[in-house]
Amino acid sequence: MPVSGEAAEAAPGDAAVLHSLDGGVSWITLNRPEVMNAVTPDQRERIIALLAEASADPAVRAVVLTATGRGFCAGADLRSARAPDRGRVPGDVARTIRLGAQRLIAAVLDCEKPVIAAVNGTAAGIGAHLAFACDLVLAADTAKFVEVFVRRGLVPDGGGAYLLPRLVGPQRAKELMFFGDALGAADAERLGLVNRTVPGGELAALAEEWAARLAAGPTRALALTKQLVNASLDDDRAAAFAAEAAAQEINMTTRDANEGVASFVERRPPEYRGH
């Protein structure tokens, strides 16, 4: 199981992001433990590409995003940023964020397969937002989440001010972002940022178990459910109800929906195939 990175394969030049496909699960593993998996632009583009591939590939039915070493992701690797060839002009920073961190978070939110974050250690800055964007979050009991931006005099980016209020409410979001204190895994679970906290030695097995359950599920129904839930806090009731009805209309054309109904009538376990 590739959470440790040992069973994952990397293409030449892609060793910083390990990838493998096992039992319908796409395992994406950040692999720069020496810098707590601070993410570089090249890593970011690799993750975005792998998530896009997972969306389009019928063989992929769930995704796990994790990392090697003691850190999940310590944020953006500022040391890898290329120096501009000219002086900064208005719009440069906004463009960089829009084409960089925001694309990464959007790739997770828009992935048509359920994405599990298996947070093995510290998740700071964009690393925390990468976890929060996932559909389900599992964490080692030693993991920490840090809204580190305020410590650097920065505004949170990478979708943080969008994600956090929707997960914990505006007051809690402001507390986390104003103070930048490290939030332990148990407290993150209490606030609803984490689904399950387990001892570090059990994280890999739990991620594998949950991913296998998702991979055995009705893939298109899960994709449509993810889409509805993600949009629900931005829609009014009429729009949400219309989207729900349209999603069910689409879903009822799938083989898995018909199998689910047939298995209920025939009193047997369903056998979903992902389409």
Side-chain angles (χ1 to χ4, degrees):
M1 196 229 11
V3 166
S4 67
E6 294 175 0
E9 296 179 358
D14 289 332
V17 179
L18 305 178
H19 178 250
S20 68
L21 181 60
D22 180 27
V25 181
S26 175
W27 294 83
I28 302 173
T29 305
L30 292 171
N31 188 40
R32 295 179 70 228
E34 69 280 5
V35 291
M36 300 283 283
N37 293 301
V39 68
T40 66
D42 287 344
Q43 281 180 297
R44 179 192 70 224
E45 294 306 312
R46 175 71 172 146
I47 295 167
I48 290 171
L50 289 170
L51 289 167
E53 290 171 14
S55 280
D57 187 351
V60 177
R61 299 177 65 182
V63 177
V64 176
L65 185 59
T66 190
T68 59
R70 297 183 299 109
F72 175 73
C73 177
D77 188 347
L78 301 179
R79 291 168 297 185
S80 70
R82 298 181 181 88
D85 295 331
R86 53 175 171 74
R88 181 182 296 163
V89 299
D92 282 352
V93 173
R95 187 181 310 104
T96 298
I97 292 170
R98 187 172 63 250
L99 299 180
Q102 290 178 353
R103 281 181 57 245
L104 176 61
I105 299 307
V108 179
L109 294 171
D110 295 340
C111 182
E112 295 179 29
K113 309 299 166 63
V115 183
I116 297 173
V119 183
N120 53 299
T122 297
I126 188 65
H129 300 166
L130 186 60
F132 298 154
C134 291
D135 303 301
L136 300 168
V137 183
L138 307 177
D141 55 6
T142 54
K144 290 181 172 58
F145 300 86
V146 190
E147 285 295 324
V148 75
F149 298 92
V150 71
R151 299 186 185 181
R152 310 289 180 259
L154 301 174
V155 171
D157 61 36
Y162 174 85
L163 293 167
L164 269 175
R166 286 163 170 76
L167 293 168
V168 300
Q171 261 68 34
R172 289 291 190 183
K174 290 171 188 174
E175 179 183 345
L176 293 170
M177 290 180 165
F178 286 1
F179 294 114
D181 293 333
L183 185 70
D187 287 334
E189 181 177 355
R190 178 177 55 82
L191 291 178
L193 291 168
V194 168
N195 294 89
R196 297 285 188 280
T197 299
V198 295
E202 299 175 15
L203 180 64
L206 183 60
E208 186 173 21
E209 176 192 339
W210 280 33
R213 290 181 63 186
L214 291 170
T219 305
R220 298 312 304 163
L222 291 175
L224 290 164
T225 301
K226 172 176 179 172
Q227 192 176 76
L228 286 173
V229 173
N230 284 353
S232 65
L233 294 176
D234 298 322
D235 288 341
D236 59 26
R237 187 181 69 180
F241 277 22
E244 176 186 277
Q248 194 70 291
E249 175 76 24
I250 294 168
N251 187 60
M252 288 307 295
T253 68
T254 67
R255 181 261 176 204
D256 280 352
N258 289 296
E259 166 62 10
V261 174
S263 65
F264 173 77
V265 172
E266 297 166 13
R267 298 185 179 182
R268 58 173 176 80
E271 296 181 4
Y272 296 123
R273 297 180 185 173
H275 57 82

